[in-house]
Amino acid sequence: MTQKIKFHVVYATGCDDDYSSSALENHAPSVKGWRSERFCVYPQELVLQFPSPIRVRKLQLLSHQFLIARKVELFIGNCRQGTYPSYQSATFQRLGYISFDTNEKSSFKARELKSVHLDCEGLFIKLCCQKNHVNKHNVFNQVGLVAVNILGEFINHNGPDTLKDLDIMQNSTEAAILGSINKPEHTSLIDDITFGMYQDPEVARVIKELERKKHVAIEEERYEYAKRLKQAINDLYKVGERLGRLEKEKKAAVAEENYDLAQAKKA
């Protein structure tokens, strides 16, 4: 089953103070994400490691609103049979790249979200951020990612489920290209990056519990109950988004020492 896959950032070329790459491991309206060092040398690389090898179905990147990479190259990585599971000994194959807009049309206020369907297997994903778009706000020529989301499934069907059994996938690039044709199965809205990044955390927990109950109701063929749960989830989703937005705006107002506005945004 396709699901949201947790990961650890095991390598980063560098990061700015208070914007560590480990911030990408969590999703919430208040997260600041990762930023490269000031006046860094490009490319800037991030390596994500999964708990065990997975089949990657979808990757989502949420860019910073003005610290924008012109493009981010994607690589899938695996370790040879019998080797220690380390990104340093892994072999990476290029999947392609994602390009980002200059963001001038939004006056550098909106954050661009890019989603790409994939079909490849591996233990690592490497993101290679190329040089930044130049704008008046990005005075230190940095790039930044606010969030990264991976959807896929753990490998356990007549194939390797531990690194000791895992061989290099020779056709990862071709498989990734075919992923745009062989669309993955439907995924829950709670696994999408927008849920974690824009939902109030408390409301999000309630929605997840209702989603669980809805799936149980469907399995038990209690369809009328499942229908009511679906409506409740949709209503809470709107409320959670509004609360998440207010919390983000409140923190921004506090950072600018605009306490009247912060009080007005208090949820």
Side-chain angles (χ1 to χ4, degrees):
M1 177 180 177
T2 300
Q3 60 183 297
K4 183 176 182 176
I5 305 293
K6 290 186 176 296
F7 60 82
H8 288 294
V9 182
V10 294
Y11 173 77
T13 308
C15 62
D16 199 357
D17 294 340
D18 299 322
Y19 293 94
S20 170
S21 58
S22 62
L24 296 174
E25 298 171 6
N26 300 294
H27 295 163
S30 59
V31 300
K32 297 186 292 185
W34 164 81
R35 293 184 185 182
S36 66
E37 293 179 320
R38 299 180 178 187
F39 300 117
C40 63
V41 177
Y42 289 98
Q44 290 285 299
E45 294 184 350
L46 297 164
V47 180
L48 321 180
Q49 181 174 354
F50 309 116
S52 63
I54 69 166
R55 185 173 189 178
V56 184
R57 292 296 197 172
K58 187 177 183 180
L59 181 145
Q60 296 179 294
L61 298 180
L62 183 62
S63 175
H64 190 271
Q65 59 268 32
F66 57 81
L67 307 179
I68 308 166
R70 296 184 182 184
K71 69 177 181 179
V72 178
E73 293 183 285
L74 310 177
F75 297 81
I76 189 76
N78 285 295
C79 293
R80 291 189 180 277
Q81 183 177 0
T83 61
Y84 181 77
S86 168
Y87 74 91
Q88 294 169 315
S89 60
T91 298
F92 288 89
Q93 295 188 19
R94 188 176 185 272
L95 304 176
Y97 67 89
I98 296 174
S99 58
F100 287 95
D101 188 73
T102 62
N103 212 18
E104 292 177 0
K105 292 181 179 179
S106 74
S107 299
F108 308 102
K109 294 180 180 179
R111 302 182 298 195
E112 186 176 8
L113 171 63
K114 284 292 183 75
S115 301
V116 57
H117 291 284
L118 301 170
D119 191 355
C120 53
E121 297 180 353
L123 181 66
F124 304 95
I125 285 284
K126 180 164 68 174
L127 306 175
C128 188
C129 301
Q130 300 298 335
K131 192 171 182 178
N132 61 287
H133 284 296
V134 177
N135 61 68
K136 65 181 180 180
H137 303 285
N138 193 356
V139 295
F140 302 116
N141 291 329
Q142 296 169 277
V143 293
L145 292 174
V146 180
V148 177
N149 194 38
I150 307 290
L151 299 176
E153 58 253 9
F154 290 101
I155 299 172
N156 58 11
H157 50 84
N158 298 321
D161 60 358
T162 65
L163 280 176
K164 292 182 178 179
D165 299 324
L166 186 66
D167 291 320
I168 293 295
M169 304 300 178
Q170 297 296 336
N171 297 316
S172 292
T173 302
E174 293 180 9
I177 295 172
L178 290 174
S180 63
I181 302 173
N182 302 320
K183 298 295 185 183
E185 62 184 85
H186 173 73
T187 55
S188 171
L189 63 85
I190 66 176
D191 289 331
D192 193 84
I193 195 172
T194 56
F195 182 82
M197 294 304 299
Y198 299 119
Q199 280 289 323
D200 174 77
E202 291 298 324
V203 177
R205 278 191 280 273
V206 176
I207 291 176
K208 288 179 180 178
E209 177 60 20
L210 293 181
E211 273 282 335
R212 186 190 65 79
K213 291 182 178 181
K214 186 185 75 173
H215 287 300
V216 171
I218 292 172
E219 291 175 358
E220 296 175 350
E221 298 186 355
R222 300 165 62 196
Y223 300 124
E224 188 60 35
Y225 182 47
K227 180 180 176 180
R228 293 200 300 271
L229 287 172
K230 179 183 177 182
Q231 184 58 53
I233 290 169
N234 290 340
D235 293 341
L236 280 173
Y237 197 92
K238 296 175 184 177
V239 173
E241 271 195 339
R242 183 173 182 273
L243 291 176
R245 184 175 64 254
L246 287 173
E247 180 65 18
K248 181 185 173 189
E249 291 172 350
K250 182 187 74 175
K251 290 189 175 182
V254 170
E256 296 172 358
E257 298 186 347
N258 188 342
Y259 302 118
D260 290 334
L261 180 60
Q263 181 63 36
K265 297 291 183 180
K266 188 176 178 180

